[in-house]
Amino acid sequence: MNVDHFWEEMIRYYSNIVGKYGNPVQRALQKLSALEINTICSTHGPVWRKYAHKAIEIYDRLSRYEGEDGVVVIYGSMYGNTEQMAEAIASSLSANGVKNIVLHNVSKSPASYVLKDVFKYKGVIIGSPTYSNSLFPEVEAILSKIEMREVKNRLYGYFGSFTWAGAAVKRLTAFGEKMKWETVGTPVEQKQGLKADKYEECWALGEAMANKLKIEN
Ligand SMILES: Cc1cc2nc3c(=O)[nH]c(=O)nc-3n(C[C@H](O)[C@H](O)[C@H](O)COP(=O)(O)O)c2cc1C
């Protein structure tokens, strides 16, 4: 099996099980830093010999909440309106030079994979339709998992759709403030299906995130 598969699974394990405990992990790594580690016998995973140092490197990076160059776009969508926005933003990210882009439709991607990519990437863009004056429930569930793990230092973009009174974008604003994430670009809010002016705004959001990542890396 390709060893890269293990790194992805290690990040998924860390994000879901250990994710909240960045500081204790940093303290443990500090304690062990004087030792020469040749073998790691993990309780929930393979025994690492050849790649022991790479495993430590990954835990070090994740426990400092340091994201890689790339963007995860997370969205929910009942009829496809918010999905159109997510796809426009992803197209813009790609056209503006972002190489690592992952899209997660929360009704299809298991939450553990979504969380993995929130820990993995520096850029996080979240979109939701308004649903009973709040967020689409599966998006709300993901926000709660991210909040619980106190993920830090993300570049954050967001967008949403509504029909009569938008609430999704307001809730996504409050989420970003609570997380103390840096908002990138202008949030996009559209009524129902994607129109030309809102397509432009989605494009601008993707472009702003791509430019910000270039400065950060
Ligand atoms: C169950 C349900 C609840 C909704 N609640 C609201 C609401 O509270 N306020 C609003 O403006 N639109 C509401 N809408 C309309 C959707 O937000 C709107 O159609 C949106 O564009 C759907 O986006 P989507 O295709 O990505 O799901 C609701 C739609 C459904 C199906």
mmCIF file of all heavy atoms in Angstrom, residues 10-11 14 18-19 21-33 40 52-67 119 153-154:
data_model
loop_
_atom_site.group_PDB
_atom_site.id
_atom_site.type_symbol
_atom_site.label_atom_id
_atom_site.label_comp_id
_atom_site.label_asym_id
_atom_site.label_seq_id
_atom_site.Cartn_x
_atom_site.Cartn_y
_atom_site.Cartn_z
ATOM 1 N N MET A 10 -3.640 9.253 9.277
ATOM 2 C CA MET A 10 -3.103 9.770 10.534
ATOM 3 C C MET A 10 -3.699 11.151 10.831
ATOM 4 O O MET A 10 -4.073 11.449 11.970
ATOM 5 C CB MET A 10 -1.580 9.871 10.460
ATOM 6 C CG MET A 10 -0.981 10.366 11.749
ATOM 7 S SD MET A 10 0.792 10.550 11.618
ATOM 8 C CE MET A 10 1.326 8.911 11.963
ATOM 9 N N ILE A 11 -3.803 11.956 9.794
ATOM 10 C CA ILE A 11 -4.391 13.290 9.986
ATOM 11 C C ILE A 11 -5.860 13.155 10.379
ATOM 12 O O ILE A 11 -6.355 13.860 11.259
ATOM 13 C CB ILE A 11 -4.227 14.165 8.716
ATOM 14 C CG1 ILE A 11 -2.750 14.364 8.397
ATOM 15 C CG2 ILE A 11 -4.923 15.520 8.892
ATOM 16 C CD1 ILE A 11 -2.476 15.024 7.056
ATOM 17 N N TYR A 14 -5.925 12.058 14.000
ATOM 18 C CA TYR A 14 -5.547 13.159 14.890
ATOM 19 C C TYR A 14 -6.709 14.161 15.011
ATOM 20 O O TYR A 14 -7.098 14.559 16.112
ATOM 21 C CB TYR A 14 -4.275 13.879 14.376
ATOM 22 C CG TYR A 14 -3.890 14.988 15.320
ATOM 23 C CD1 TYR A 14 -2.952 14.777 16.330
ATOM 24 C CD2 TYR A 14 -4.529 16.225 15.259
ATOM 25 C CE1 TYR A 14 -2.655 15.782 17.247
ATOM 26 C CE2 TYR A 14 -4.243 17.231 16.175
ATOM 27 C CZ TYR A 14 -3.307 17.006 17.162
ATOM 28 O OH TYR A 14 -3.036 17.997 18.058
ATOM 29 N N VAL A 18 -7.785 13.452 18.640
ATOM 30 C CA VAL A 18 -6.830 14.202 19.471
ATOM 31 C C VAL A 18 -7.031 15.711 19.316
ATOM 32 O O VAL A 18 -6.616 16.490 20.166
ATOM 33 C CB VAL A 18 -5.368 13.829 19.085
ATOM 34 C CG1 VAL A 18 -4.366 14.379 20.087
ATOM 35 C CG2 VAL A 18 -5.190 12.322 18.935
ATOM 36 N N GLY A 19 -7.682 16.096 18.199
ATOM 37 C CA GLY A 19 -7.721 17.473 17.717
ATOM 38 C C GLY A 19 -7.821 18.594 18.741
ATOM 39 O O GLY A 19 -7.197 19.638 18.591
ATOM 40 N N TYR A 21 -6.647 18.746 21.662
ATOM 41 C CA TYR A 21 -5.590 18.781 22.679
ATOM 42 C C TYR A 21 -4.232 19.235 22.138
ATOM 43 O O TYR A 21 -3.208 18.629 22.424
ATOM 44 C CB TYR A 21 -5.500 17.400 23.361
ATOM 45 C CG TYR A 21 -6.835 17.020 23.962
ATOM 46 C CD1 TYR A 21 -7.661 16.094 23.335
ATOM 47 C CD2 TYR A 21 -7.294 17.651 25.116
ATOM 48 C CE1 TYR A 21 -8.912 15.790 23.860
ATOM 49 C CE2 TYR A 21 -8.542 17.358 25.640
ATOM 50 C CZ TYR A 21 -9.343 16.425 25.015
ATOM 51 O OH TYR A 21 -10.578 16.143 25.524
ATOM 52 N N GLY A 22 -4.256 20.289 21.350
ATOM 53 C CA GLY A 22 -3.016 20.796 20.760
ATOM 54 C C GLY A 22 -1.947 21.106 21.805
ATOM 55 O O GLY A 22 -0.789 20.677 21.663
ATOM 56 N N ASN A 23 -2.313 21.811 22.875
ATOM 57 C CA ASN A 23 -1.314 22.209 23.883
ATOM 58 C C ASN A 23 -0.706 21.005 24.606
ATOM 59 O O ASN A 23 0.518 20.911 24.695
ATOM 60 C CB ASN A 23 -1.900 23.204 24.896
ATOM 61 C CG ASN A 23 -2.060 24.574 24.253
ATOM 62 O OD1 ASN A 23 -1.388 24.887 23.261
ATOM 63 N ND2 ASN A 23 -2.960 25.380 24.790
ATOM 64 N N PRO A 24 -1.536 20.071 25.116
ATOM 65 C CA PRO A 24 -0.937 18.886 25.748
ATOM 66 C C PRO A 24 -0.039 18.098 24.778
ATOM 67 O O PRO A 24 1.001 17.585 25.190
ATOM 68 C CB PRO A 24 -2.147 18.036 26.172
ATOM 69 C CG PRO A 24 -3.263 19.011 26.305
ATOM 70 C CD PRO A 24 -2.999 20.112 25.322
ATOM 71 N N VAL A 25 -0.404 18.023 23.507
ATOM 72 C CA VAL A 25 0.444 17.297 22.546
ATOM 73 C C VAL A 25 1.776 18.024 22.395
ATOM 74 O O VAL A 25 2.845 17.406 22.403
ATOM 75 C CB VAL A 25 -0.260 17.142 21.172
ATOM 76 C CG1 VAL A 25 0.701 16.603 20.119
ATOM 77 C CG2 VAL A 25 -1.470 16.229 21.282
ATOM 78 N N GLN A 26 1.719 19.357 22.321
ATOM 79 C CA GLN A 26 2.967 20.127 22.227
ATOM 80 C C GLN A 26 3.841 19.882 23.460
ATOM 81 O O GLN A 26 5.049 19.707 23.338
ATOM 82 C CB GLN A 26 2.654 21.630 22.094
ATOM 83 C CG GLN A 26 2.348 22.053 20.661
ATOM 84 C CD GLN A 26 3.566 21.939 19.735
ATOM 85 O OE1 GLN A 26 4.629 22.463 20.043
ATOM 86 N NE2 GLN A 26 3.422 21.236 18.635
ATOM 87 N N ARG A 27 3.218 19.858 24.635
ATOM 88 C CA ARG A 27 3.999 19.635 25.879
ATOM 89 C C ARG A 27 4.620 18.235 25.873
ATOM 90 O O ARG A 27 5.769 18.064 26.255
ATOM 91 C CB ARG A 27 3.117 19.836 27.113
ATOM 92 C CG ARG A 27 2.867 21.321 27.419
ATOM 93 C CD ARG A 27 2.403 21.529 28.852
ATOM 94 N NE ARG A 27 1.095 20.952 29.107
ATOM 95 C CZ ARG A 27 -0.065 21.551 28.822
ATOM 96 N NH1 ARG A 27 -0.077 22.754 28.289
ATOM 97 N NH2 ARG A 27 -1.211 20.959 29.086
ATOM 98 N N ALA A 28 3.855 17.245 25.404
ATOM 99 C CA ALA A 28 4.384 15.869 25.354
ATOM 100 C C ALA A 28 5.564 15.804 24.376
ATOM 101 O O ALA A 28 6.593 15.186 24.670
ATOM 102 C CB ALA A 28 3.275 14.907 24.935
ATOM 103 N N LEU A 29 5.426 16.472 23.244
ATOM 104 C CA LEU A 29 6.520 16.442 22.250
ATOM 105 C C LEU A 29 7.769 17.122 22.818
ATOM 106 O O LEU A 29 8.886 16.665 22.598
ATOM 107 C CB LEU A 29 6.077 17.122 20.941
ATOM 108 C CG LEU A 29 5.045 16.353 20.107
ATOM 109 C CD1 LEU A 29 4.575 17.199 18.927
ATOM 110 C CD2 LEU A 29 5.607 15.022 19.597
ATOM 111 N N GLN A 30 7.551 18.203 23.575
ATOM 112 C CA GLN A 30 8.677 18.893 24.220
ATOM 113 C C GLN A 30 9.410 17.951 25.172
ATOM 114 O O GLN A 30 10.627 17.864 25.160
ATOM 115 C CB GLN A 30 8.159 20.096 25.036
ATOM 116 C CG GLN A 30 7.889 21.337 24.202
ATOM 117 C CD GLN A 30 9.169 21.890 23.606
ATOM 118 O OE1 GLN A 30 10.173 21.966 24.300
ATOM 119 N NE2 GLN A 30 9.138 22.239 22.320
ATOM 120 N N LYS A 31 8.617 17.243 25.992
ATOM 121 C CA LYS A 31 9.193 16.311 26.967
ATOM 122 C C LYS A 31 10.045 15.261 26.293
ATOM 123 O O LYS A 31 11.063 14.832 26.822
ATOM 124 C CB LYS A 31 8.059 15.591 27.720
ATOM 125 C CG LYS A 31 7.724 16.186 29.055
ATOM 126 C CD LYS A 31 6.830 15.224 29.810
ATOM 127 C CE LYS A 31 6.204 15.942 30.981
ATOM 128 N NZ LYS A 31 5.117 15.186 31.567
ATOM 129 N N LEU A 32 9.581 14.814 25.126
ATOM 130 C CA LEU A 32 10.265 13.714 24.447
ATOM 131 C C LEU A 32 11.390 14.201 23.541
ATOM 132 O O LEU A 32 12.126 13.393 22.971
ATOM 133 C CB LEU A 32 9.248 12.925 23.593
ATOM 134 C CG LEU A 32 8.135 12.228 24.379
ATOM 135 C CD1 LEU A 32 7.079 11.672 23.437
ATOM 136 C CD2 LEU A 32 8.709 11.100 25.234
ATOM 137 N N SER A 33 11.525 15.512 23.414
ATOM 138 C CA SER A 33 12.425 16.030 22.373
ATOM 139 C C SER A 33 13.896 15.661 22.597
ATOM 140 O O SER A 33 14.682 15.640 21.663
ATOM 141 C CB SER A 33 12.265 17.550 22.227
ATOM 142 O OG SER A 33 12.633 18.152 23.447
ATOM 143 N N ILE A 40 7.818 3.947 17.057
ATOM 144 C CA ILE A 40 6.600 4.400 17.752
ATOM 145 C C ILE A 40 5.588 3.262 17.681
ATOM 146 O O ILE A 40 5.227 2.823 16.586
ATOM 147 C CB ILE A 40 6.002 5.655 17.087
ATOM 148 C CG1 ILE A 40 7.024 6.807 17.094
ATOM 149 C CG2 ILE A 40 4.714 6.085 17.775
ATOM 150 C CD1 ILE A 40 6.583 8.027 16.311
ATOM 151 N N ALA A 52 9.200 7.007 11.605
ATOM 152 C CA ALA A 52 8.870 7.533 12.941
ATOM 153 C C ALA A 52 8.999 9.059 12.979
ATOM 154 O O ALA A 52 8.152 9.749 13.560
ATOM 155 C CB ALA A 52 9.776 6.891 13.990
ATOM 156 N N HIS A 53 10.029 9.588 12.338
ATOM 157 C CA HIS A 53 10.232 11.039 12.408
ATOM 158 C C HIS A 53 9.180 11.807 11.636
ATOM 159 O O HIS A 53 8.759 12.886 12.060
ATOM 160 C CB HIS A 53 11.658 11.404 11.974
ATOM 161 C CG HIS A 53 12.629 10.977 13.019
ATOM 162 N ND1 HIS A 53 12.877 11.724 14.147
ATOM 163 C CD2 HIS A 53 13.336 9.825 13.162
ATOM 164 C CE1 HIS A 53 13.713 11.064 14.927
ATOM 165 N NE2 HIS A 53 14.009 9.911 14.351
ATOM 166 N N LYS A 54 8.766 11.226 10.533
ATOM 167 C CA LYS A 54 7.695 11.866 9.758
ATOM 168 C C LYS A 54 6.397 11.886 10.592
ATOM 169 O O LYS A 54 5.663 12.877 10.592
ATOM 170 C CB LYS A 54 7.497 11.078 8.447
ATOM 171 C CG LYS A 54 6.272 11.450 7.684
ATOM 172 C CD LYS A 54 6.562 12.170 6.412
ATOM 173 C CE LYS A 54 5.263 12.481 5.704
ATOM 174 N NZ LYS A 54 5.371 13.311 4.578
ATOM 175 N N ALA A 55 6.136 10.802 11.317
ATOM 176 C CA ALA A 55 4.929 10.745 12.164
ATOM 177 C C ALA A 55 4.988 11.850 13.225
ATOM 178 O O ALA A 55 3.991 12.543 13.478
ATOM 179 C CB ALA A 55 4.809 9.366 12.814
ATOM 180 N N ILE A 56 6.158 12.042 13.833
ATOM 181 C CA ILE A 56 6.299 13.096 14.865
ATOM 182 C C ILE A 56 6.110 14.474 14.232
ATOM 183 O O ILE A 56 5.421 15.342 14.806
ATOM 184 C CB ILE A 56 7.680 12.990 15.555
ATOM 185 C CG1 ILE A 56 7.749 11.694 16.362
ATOM 186 C CG2 ILE A 56 7.941 14.201 16.453
ATOM 187 C CD1 ILE A 56 9.128 11.351 16.868
ATOM 188 N N GLU A 57 6.679 14.642 13.065
ATOM 189 C CA GLU A 57 6.550 15.925 12.344
ATOM 190 C C GLU A 57 5.073 16.277 12.115
ATOM 191 O O GLU A 57 4.647 17.419 12.296
ATOM 192 C CB GLU A 57 7.181 15.757 10.963
ATOM 193 C CG GLU A 57 8.310 16.678 10.614
ATOM 194 C CD GLU A 57 8.866 16.236 9.270
ATOM 195 O OE1 GLU A 57 8.198 16.443 8.229
ATOM 196 O OE2 GLU A 57 9.955 15.637 9.299
ATOM 197 N N ILE A 58 4.300 15.274 11.709
ATOM 198 C CA ILE A 58 2.870 15.512 11.435
ATOM 199 C C ILE A 58 2.144 15.894 12.729
ATOM 200 O O ILE A 58 1.362 16.854 12.761
ATOM 201 C CB ILE A 58 2.225 14.277 10.765
ATOM 202 C CG1 ILE A 58 2.805 14.108 9.357
ATOM 203 C CG2 ILE A 58 0.705 14.404 10.720
ATOM 204 C CD1 ILE A 58 2.308 12.890 8.607
ATOM 205 N N TYR A 59 2.414 15.189 13.826
ATOM 206 C CA TYR A 59 1.778 15.523 15.104
ATOM 207 C C TYR A 59 2.185 16.924 15.568
ATOM 208 O O TYR A 59 1.374 17.668 16.123
ATOM 209 C CB TYR A 59 2.128 14.467 16.171
ATOM 210 C CG TYR A 59 1.058 13.420 16.299
ATOM 211 C CD1 TYR A 59 0.655 12.689 15.187
ATOM 212 C CD2 TYR A 59 0.420 13.179 17.513
ATOM 213 C CE1 TYR A 59 -0.350 11.740 15.288
ATOM 214 C CE2 TYR A 59 -0.587 12.231 17.623
ATOM 215 C CZ TYR A 59 -0.967 11.522 16.502
ATOM 216 O OH TYR A 59 -1.972 10.600 16.606
ATOM 217 N N ASP A 60 3.435 17.260 15.306
ATOM 218 C CA ASP A 60 3.909 18.592 15.717
ATOM 219 C C ASP A 60 3.136 19.668 14.946
ATOM 220 O O ASP A 60 2.611 20.623 15.523
ATOM 221 C CB ASP A 60 5.419 18.692 15.443
ATOM 222 C CG ASP A 60 5.969 20.034 15.872
ATOM 223 O OD1 ASP A 60 5.499 20.567 16.901
ATOM 224 O OD2 ASP A 60 6.850 20.577 15.184
ATOM 225 N N ARG A 61 3.049 19.489 13.642
ATOM 226 C CA ARG A 61 2.373 20.492 12.808
ATOM 227 C C ARG A 61 0.885 20.594 13.173
ATOM 228 O O ARG A 61 0.341 21.678 13.356
ATOM 229 C CB ARG A 61 2.546 20.129 11.324
ATOM 230 C CG ARG A 61 2.057 21.200 10.381
ATOM 231 C CD ARG A 61 2.451 20.921 8.951
ATOM 232 N NE ARG A 61 2.176 19.568 8.503
ATOM 233 C CZ ARG A 61 0.964 19.088 8.260
ATOM 234 N NH1 ARG A 61 -0.099 19.853 8.432
ATOM 235 N NH2 ARG A 61 0.810 17.846 7.855
ATOM 236 N N LEU A 62 0.234 19.431 13.311
ATOM 237 C CA LEU A 62 -1.210 19.447 13.602
ATOM 238 C C LEU A 62 -1.491 20.049 14.971
ATOM 239 O O LEU A 62 -2.471 20.783 15.150
ATOM 240 C CB LEU A 62 -1.778 18.030 13.524
ATOM 241 C CG LEU A 62 -1.814 17.401 12.123
ATOM 242 C CD1 LEU A 62 -2.188 15.931 12.207
ATOM 243 C CD2 LEU A 62 -2.785 18.134 11.204
ATOM 244 N N SER A 63 -0.653 19.769 15.944
ATOM 245 C CA SER A 63 -0.917 20.282 17.300
ATOM 246 C C SER A 63 -0.610 21.770 17.398
ATOM 247 O O SER A 63 -1.034 22.424 18.348
ATOM 248 C CB SER A 63 -0.147 19.479 18.355
ATOM 249 O OG SER A 63 1.237 19.505 18.072
ATOM 250 N N ARG A 64 0.124 22.307 16.418
ATOM 251 C CA ARG A 64 0.270 23.770 16.344
ATOM 252 C C ARG A 64 -0.822 24.377 15.438
ATOM 253 O O ARG A 64 -0.790 25.548 15.123
ATOM 254 C CB ARG A 64 1.675 24.129 15.832
ATOM 255 C CG ARG A 64 2.732 23.942 16.933
ATOM 256 C CD ARG A 64 4.121 24.420 16.524
ATOM 257 N NE ARG A 64 4.767 23.500 15.612
ATOM 258 C CZ ARG A 64 4.938 23.711 14.295
ATOM 259 N NH1 ARG A 64 4.521 24.830 13.748
ATOM 260 N NH2 ARG A 64 5.524 22.807 13.541
ATOM 261 N N TYR A 65 -1.710 23.576 14.938
ATOM 262 C CA TYR A 65 -2.803 23.999 14.041
ATOM 263 C C TYR A 65 -2.257 24.700 12.795
ATOM 264 O O TYR A 65 -2.835 25.680 12.318
ATOM 265 C CB TYR A 65 -3.801 24.916 14.774
ATOM 266 C CG TYR A 65 -4.447 24.239 15.952
ATOM 267 C CD1 TYR A 65 -3.912 24.352 17.237
ATOM 268 C CD2 TYR A 65 -5.580 23.442 15.794
ATOM 269 C CE1 TYR A 65 -4.482 23.712 18.326
ATOM 270 C CE2 TYR A 65 -6.164 22.811 16.874
ATOM 271 C CZ TYR A 65 -5.615 22.946 18.135
ATOM 272 O OH TYR A 65 -6.190 22.295 19.210
ATOM 273 N N GLU A 66 -1.133 24.168 12.311
ATOM 274 C CA GLU A 66 -0.527 24.792 11.138
ATOM 275 C C GLU A 66 -1.079 24.118 9.875
ATOM 276 O O GLU A 66 -0.856 22.923 9.665
ATOM 277 C CB GLU A 66 0.995 24.610 11.235
ATOM 278 C CG GLU A 66 1.760 25.410 10.220
ATOM 279 C CD GLU A 66 3.243 25.059 10.270
ATOM 280 O OE1 GLU A 66 3.865 25.243 11.330
ATOM 281 O OE2 GLU A 66 3.749 24.584 9.255
ATOM 282 N N GLY A 67 -1.811 24.871 9.072
ATOM 283 C CA GLY A 67 -2.413 24.294 7.868
ATOM 284 C C GLY A 67 -1.462 24.341 6.680
ATOM 285 O O GLY A 67 -0.613 25.217 6.588
ATOM 286 N N PHE A 119 -8.295 20.444 9.382
ATOM 287 C CA PHE A 119 -6.978 20.434 10.043
ATOM 288 C C PHE A 119 -5.845 20.514 9.024
ATOM 289 O O PHE A 119 -4.779 21.028 9.321
ATOM 290 C CB PHE A 119 -6.813 19.168 10.901
ATOM 291 C CG PHE A 119 -7.307 19.344 12.297
ATOM 292 C CD1 PHE A 119 -8.659 19.329 12.582
ATOM 293 C CD2 PHE A 119 -6.416 19.555 13.351
ATOM 294 C CE1 PHE A 119 -9.125 19.510 13.876
ATOM 295 C CE2 PHE A 119 -6.863 19.739 14.646
ATOM 296 C CZ PHE A 119 -8.218 19.709 14.915
ATOM 297 N N ASN A 153 -6.122 29.663 13.660
ATOM 298 C CA ASN A 153 -5.313 30.215 12.547
ATOM 299 C C ASN A 153 -5.761 29.810 11.151
ATOM 300 O O ASN A 153 -4.922 29.457 10.321
ATOM 301 C CB ASN A 153 -3.844 29.784 12.683
ATOM 302 C CG ASN A 153 -3.259 30.236 13.992
ATOM 303 O OD1 ASN A 153 -3.657 31.297 14.498
ATOM 304 N ND2 ASN A 153 -2.359 29.455 14.546
ATOM 305 N N ARG A 154 -7.042 29.880 10.878
ATOM 306 C CA ARG A 154 -7.456 29.572 9.516
ATOM 307 C C ARG A 154 -7.817 30.850 8.764
ATOM 308 O O ARG A 154 -8.253 31.837 9.365
ATOM 309 C CB ARG A 154 -8.667 28.619 9.516
ATOM 310 C CG ARG A 154 -8.318 27.205 9.989
ATOM 311 C CD ARG A 154 -7.287 26.588 9.081
ATOM 312 N NE ARG A 154 -6.865 25.251 9.409
ATOM 313 C CZ ARG A 154 -5.772 24.967 10.134
ATOM 314 N NH1 ARG A 154 -5.033 25.915 10.665
ATOM 315 N NH2 ARG A 154 -5.407 23.716 10.316
#
